[in-house]
Amino acid sequence: MSENAPPYQIQTQSQDYESLTVSLLSHQQRSINSTSQVAIVGANVCPIESLDYEIAENDFFKQDWRTRGKIQKFQYIFMKWLLCFLIGGFVSLVGFFNNLAVENIAGVKFVVTSNMMLDGRYGMAFTVFSVSNLVLTLFAAIITAFISPAAAGSGIPEVKAYLNGVDAPDIFSPRTLVVKIVGSISAVSSSLVVGKAGPMVHIGSGIASLFGQGGSRKYGLTWKWLRFFKNDRDRRDLVTCGSAAGIAAAFSAPVGGVLFALEEMASWWRSALLWRSFFTTAVVAIILRALIDVCFSGKCGLFGKGGLIMFDAYSANISYHLADVPPVLVLGVIGGILGSLYNFLLIRVLRVYNFIYEKGIIYQIFIACTISIFTSVLLFGLPWLASCQPCPLDAAEACPTIGRSGNYKRFQCPHGHYNDLASLIFNTNDDAIRNLLSKDTDSEFQLSSMLIFFVTCFILSILSYGIVAPAGLFVPVIVTGASYGRFIGMLLGSHTNLSHSLYAVLGAASFLGGSMRMTVSLCVIILELTNNLLLLPLIMIVLLISKTVADAFNCSIYDLIMKVKGFPYLETHAEPYMRQLTVADVVSGPLQLFHGIEKVGNIVHILKTTRHHGFPVIDTSPDSESSVLYGSILRSHLIALLKKKAFLSTPMRLGVSDAFKHFSADDFAKRGLGNVDKIEDIELTDEEMEMFLDLHPFTNASPYTVVETMSLAKALVLFREVGLRHLLVIPKISNRAPVVGILTRHDFMPEHIFGLHPLLVRSRWKRLRLQLPRLLKIL
């Protein structure tokens, strides 16, 4: 504690019962918490709040659970598994529909364009190609900008922040879900270098969130069984299962989806959640397999057999030796460097886009249309730089490919020849991946074509991601990584025993590891995607090296995007400077407290004059007149008490049984999206304002507390691991005020800490300067 900290002050607000306004600990200067509490969702700056993952174990809650019988407990467990089954079923159907729509929309576009080129009408072919791409991009941008800006981007950073406890507004609303589905289909079909895997994670999480709303009075869904999930903790588990289902539907990788949710998305994990997420992805895999069998029978349209969920990208028996390991190591190093460079450039582009988007929606639409036209010009014009190749005599499929997807695009070439660059660039991203990863294709592509394709994908994927439309990063990163991996394999030529397609797989893995910094989940996803377990050792090596190298430069792309959006995300580790501070050095005031029996007028006044969502409740010690900490109470619970108007005419304490006469568990359940009660909506008379409320039955009598001398680093570990929203700080000396302050996630943010202690910024940069020569020596 600082010697210059101001004394505690008590302001009397009522003659009968008073609330406390406490100036918290500080050094020479004390300020209100100024940490940014807004997030850039789409192009809009929106206020954000935290989620209540901790269950408020008050007397009312405990009595409610004690009164539940075996049937109600069975209902609770059964509904969890039933909702997981429904999530898996709906996500698999949406994933299948999205893939089918993209394949057919893009397929018709390419067929019409190719037929015109076969007739020599190249100008008309370019016009049809570019205009169709522009219309699809414009449609995706318009519905995103005007209906739901939260649907822009991949959605993975938003879902990851939600699972960390950040309630970003509107990310799981029904309109966001619809725009995400329709906009993703339109954007991917428009030949933009964007993917649908990231949006599928957001879609899966959105479907899970809607199932976890606990019913809806608006639509008549008031079935009593649905009310079990009206709390943030159960909804968090369902959203985790939904994110796993999204990856499983995008790549037909059920185990990879579970590991993706564990490694990248979830901030809290337990064995029960592992089982439920595994069950959800298993449902996805089974339904997808059944639907794929239907497509193989020819009932899904002309292009119903393409796409990542429709085929095994790479399936071949491979053999490698110790001499093949050094090129793989080099590939991992290059992947780490390129991945970190990719993240650096993408964040810079996103910042420029955000600056432009602040000027209005018309600028958002203009950027999207500009990128679409630029992409169409490159995709149509670059294949003219490649020379025509004669069709191989032993080709496994028809050459040249006409009227469908395939490895041999004719483009402008004469009969019996194909354009290798057009086979990659004048195609859907999914088909480009299949062409790059196909076995026995070492002589199919030219070195120059592969270099052009890599540079094109690298640039276009960076420019395309930031437009106001649903857009994923997984598929563009896979395409880009596979292209440079195959380029490295072509450079090595006969000096390696590995095929070019195997280098493409390893290149995709290294670029994914360098950009997204995942290891175990990516390894399993690639293995399930390629259907080849023999690749496991090489993929493990590549991912470990690429992640290690990239970590020396910056963090993962999703973490960088969360920082750009302003999400107060709590990392798993504490920064070194946090060990120099105590929790008393960062808490801010003034702090508002309630007595166990509080005047209604005081409660209304504090709720209207503050934005706090948690308040300490103090009580008088039976042994002395000093106050002691009784517990904490949530803002939502106080509003529920005021809304019910079960007031007392005199200050007296009630029992839990008396509380059950006036309230039910549903009164304190977390409401659905957009249905939050506000204090301004409650009308009270002057007579009611002079009455009292007994807060004891509704106060969490066992809140998490830390002493004011605890290090900030230690408090962060506790705050994150338990999943708290409020952490009470109590004094070290017992004869002082019972509460020093409340820590929230914003108190752990660097912006807030450095704002209070600017000297830490200089010491932090000094340490970095000292560590830089050592790091350069290692590299």
Side-chain angles (χ1 to χ4, degrees):
M1 174 181 174
S2 171
E3 295 179 357
N4 299 317
Y8 291 94
Q9 299 174 353
I10 301 178
Q11 298 178 351
T12 304
Q13 296 182 346
S14 170
Q15 293 180 354
D16 299 313
Y17 288 87
E18 55 195 21
S19 295
L20 301 182
T21 303
V22 182
S23 298
L24 302 182
L25 293 180
S26 173
H27 288 282
Q28 295 183 359
Q29 188 175 5
R30 204 72 222 146
S31 64
I32 302 299
N33 191 335
S34 59
T35 309
S36 171
Q37 298 189 34
V38 297
I40 302 174
V41 179
N44 299 334
V45 178
C46 306
I48 59 175
E49 299 293 345
S50 297
L51 295 163
D52 295 298
Y53 286 154
E54 181 199 5
I55 300 297
E57 295 183 350
N58 50 46
D59 293 339
F60 186 87
F61 170 83
K62 295 175 182 177
Q63 182 64 24
D64 177 63
W65 272 97
R66 281 194 293 265
T67 57
R68 295 188 180 186
K70 293 183 178 179
I71 295 179
Q72 289 178 304
K73 294 178 181 178
F74 170 78
Q75 290 173 348
Y76 177 73
I77 298 174
F78 176 78
M79 283 301 298
K80 280 189 173 183
W81 288 97
L82 178 60
L83 290 183
C84 288
F85 175 81
L86 293 176
I87 291 169
F90 275 85
V91 172
S92 59
L93 291 175
V94 172
F96 180 80
F97 171 75
N98 283 11
N99 189 82
L100 206 60
V102 169
E103 288 294 314
N104 282 277
I105 294 174
V108 170
K109 176 185 65 179
F110 284 120
V111 165
V112 173
T113 306
S114 299
N115 290 338
M116 291 181 176
M117 296 191 69
L118 291 176
D119 296 336
R121 296 184 293 168
Y122 300 117
M124 182 58 69
F126 172 71
T127 302
V128 171
F129 179 70
S130 58
V131 170
S132 60
N133 288 340
L134 181 61
V135 170
L136 290 169
T137 303
L138 185 61
F139 174 72
I142 288 176
I143 63 174
T144 303
F146 285 97
I147 299 178
S148 179
S154 70
I156 290 181
E158 286 82 358
V159 177
K160 185 176 180 179
Y162 177 89
L163 295 177
N164 189 259
V166 179
D167 189 14
D170 208 31
I171 62 171
F172 291 143
S173 66
R175 69 172 182 268
T176 298
L177 179 61
V178 173
V179 171
K180 199 77 177 185
I181 295 173
V182 178
S184 176
I185 294 173
S186 183
V188 176
S189 302
S190 67
S191 293
L192 292 174
V193 186
V194 297
K196 54 184 181 289
M200 273 307 304
V201 174
H202 194 178
I203 291 169
S205 301
I207 292 174
S209 178
L210 291 180
F211 276 121
Q213 291 305 306
S216 171
R217 294 181 181 178
K218 180 179 179 181
Y219 299 103
L221 300 176
T222 56
W223 191 26
K224 185 170 65 175
W225 282 28
L226 293 174
R227 301 175 190 173
F228 287 113
F229 301 100
K230 285 200 169 184
N231 63 81
D232 288 331
R233 174 174 290 187
D234 287 328
R235 290 175 186 171
R236 175 190 69 189
D237 292 348
L238 291 176
V239 170
T240 304
C241 294
S243 65
I247 286 293
F251 295 114
S252 191
V255 179
V258 175
L259 294 176
F260 173 81
L262 168 62
E263 182 178 6
E264 180 65 16
M265 303 301 293
S267 295
W268 299 279
W269 197 265
R270 60 184 188 279
S271 58
L273 183 57
L274 177 66
W275 275 104
R276 284 201 293 274
S277 60
F278 185 70
F279 171 72
T280 307
T281 57
V283 172
V284 173
I286 293 172
I287 295 179
L288 278 182
R289 187 70 260 173
L291 294 173
I292 292 173
D293 289 340
V294 174
C295 281
F296 283 153
S297 63
K299 298 180 181 179
C300 295
L302 181 62
F303 297 91
K305 297 182 180 179
L308 286 179
I309 67 170
M310 300 293 187
F311 65 91
D312 299 327
Y314 181 91
S315 182
N317 293 325
I318 62 173
S319 61
Y320 46 88
H321 308 284
L322 188 61
D324 299 318
V325 175
V328 174
L329 300 180
V330 174
L331 199 65
V333 174
I334 297 176
I337 296 174
L338 288 177
S340 59
L341 176 63
Y342 183 87
N343 293 358
F344 174 80
L345 295 176
L346 181 58
I347 293 303
R348 293 300 180 275
V349 171
L350 289 180
R351 293 186 184 277
V352 173
Y353 282 171
N354 288 331
F355 175 76
I356 297 175
Y357 291 166
E358 292 176 355
K359 300 180 179 180
I361 292 180
I362 189 64
Y363 289 91
Q364 303 175 21
I365 306 285
F366 175 77
I367 291 291
C369 294
T370 303
I371 297 300
S372 175
I373 295 173
F374 180 65
T375 300
S376 298
V377 171
L378 286 182
L379 298 186
F380 193 90
L382 288 177
W384 294 87
L385 301 177
S387 59
C388 296
Q389 302 293 312
C391 289
L393 299 177
D394 56 344
E397 58 181 79
C399 180
T401 301
I402 299 176
R404 62 182 180 84
S405 59
N407 281 25
Y408 305 100
K409 287 287 185 179
R410 182 174 175 180
F411 205 66
Q412 89 290 3
C413 296
H415 183 71
H417 291 71
Y418 72 97
N419 188 314
D420 62 333
L421 185 55
S423 300
L424 298 173
I425 213 169
F426 199 67
N427 218 333
T428 63
N429 291 329
D430 292 350
D431 288 330
I433 293 176
R434 184 181 63 178
N435 294 344
L436 287 169
L437 271 56
S438 296
K439 61 180 179 179
D440 301 328
T441 57
D442 285 5
S443 60
E444 183 175 331
F445 301 101
Q446 302 177 80
L447 188 65
S448 58
S449 298
M450 198 57 57
L451 179 61
I452 293 173
F453 182 66
F454 163 66
V455 175
T456 302
C457 290
F458 190 89
I459 296 175
L460 289 182
S461 61
I462 292 175
L463 297 177
S464 301
Y465 179 78
I467 68 171
V468 57
L473 284 173
F474 255 100
V475 172
V477 169
I478 291 176
V479 174
T480 307
S483 60
Y484 95 79
R486 193 172 182 113
F487 177 77
I488 296 297
M490 296 171 71
L491 284 178
L492 294 175
S494 59
H495 298 289
T496 179
N497 298 317
L498 306 180
S499 64
H500 296 172
S501 55
L502 178 54
Y503 272 103
V505 174
L506 298 177
S510 65
F511 200 43
L512 283 168
S515 177
M516 300 182 180
R517 313 297 161 81
M518 292 177 280
T519 52
V520 179
S521 58
L522 283 179
C523 183
V524 175
I525 289 172
I526 294 174
L527 290 179
E528 291 182 290
L529 175 65
T530 58
N531 195 28
N532 199 324
L533 192 60
L534 297 176
L535 298 176
L536 178 61
L538 295 180
I539 293 177
M540 291 175 64
I541 294 175
V542 163
L543 285 172
L544 288 171
I545 293 177
S546 61
K547 181 185 184 303
T548 303
V549 172
D551 281 339
F553 299 98
N554 50 38
C555 53
S556 74
I557 186 60
Y558 296 129
D559 289 342
L560 291 173
I561 293 175
M562 282 194 295
K563 291 180 181 178
V564 170
K565 289 179 175 289
F567 292 136
Y569 184 85
L570 295 179
E571 298 289 349
T572 56
H573 61 279
E575 296 291 340
Y577 62 82
M578 290 185 177
R579 304 191 182 279
Q580 306 175 27
L581 301 172
T582 64
V583 294
D585 295 322
V586 298
V587 290
S588 302
L591 176 68
Q592 304 289 349
L593 299 95
F594 291 116
H595 281 84
I597 302 176
E598 186 63 89
K599 195 173 184 179
V600 173
N602 291 342
I603 297 176
V604 173
H605 173 74
I606 292 178
L607 293 182
K608 285 186 175 181
T609 56
T610 66
R611 296 176 56 192
H612 306 318
H613 288 263
F615 302 90
V617 176
I618 62 172
D619 222 342
T620 303
S621 174
D623 301 328
S624 64
E625 296 182 356
S626 61
S627 298
V628 296
L629 175 64
Y630 182 78
S632 63
I633 191 167
L634 298 176
R635 182 188 192 92
S636 58
H637 290 183
L638 289 171
I639 293 177
L641 293 174
L642 294 174
K643 186 178 180 181
K644 205 75 172 181
K645 297 186 177 181
F647 304 141
L648 303 173
S649 56
T650 58
M652 57 180 295
R653 184 162 180 170
L654 299 178
V656 180
S657 58
D658 296 323
F660 264 92
K661 296 178 181 178
H662 302 285
F663 301 93
S664 66
D666 291 339
D667 294 327
F668 301 97
K670 182 71 175 285
R671 303 290 294 276
L673 295 170
N675 296 320
V676 179
D677 291 325
K678 299 180 180 179
I679 184 62
E680 291 77 13
D681 299 331
I682 300 177
E683 297 181 0
L684 299 172
T685 64
D686 293 339
E687 182 181 356
E688 290 172 334
M689 295 285 279
E690 295 298 322
M691 300 180 75
F692 301 90
L693 267 175
D694 181 15
L695 304 182
H696 291 97
F698 314 100
T699 300
N700 180 10
S702 56
Y704 284 92
T705 61
V706 295
V707 70
E708 61 186 356
T709 55
M710 175 181 283
S711 72
L712 189 62
K714 198 171 183 179
L716 173 63
V717 174
L718 173 64
F719 195 94
R720 190 187 189 279
E721 292 299 323
V722 181
L724 302 178
R725 185 178 185 180
H726 306 101
L727 181 60
L728 302 185
V729 181
I730 59 177
K732 191 175 182 63
I733 303 175
S734 59
N735 60 358
R736 288 169 42 197
V739 187
V740 172
I742 296 182
L743 286 173
T744 66
R745 67 174 49 245
H746 297 285
D747 293 307
F748 296 100
M749 294 298 106
E751 296 85 357
H752 173 62
I753 298 173
F754 293 149
L756 297 176
H757 307 281
L759 293 178
L760 288 175
V761 181
R762 289 185 234 170
S763 62
R764 188 185 186 195
W765 281 108
K766 183 178 180 180
R767 287 196 304 271
L768 289 176
R769 286 197 302 268
L770 294 175
Q771 295 173 359
L772 184 60
R774 188 186 310 169
L775 179 62
L776 293 176
K777 185 180 295 185
I778 294 175
L779 295 177

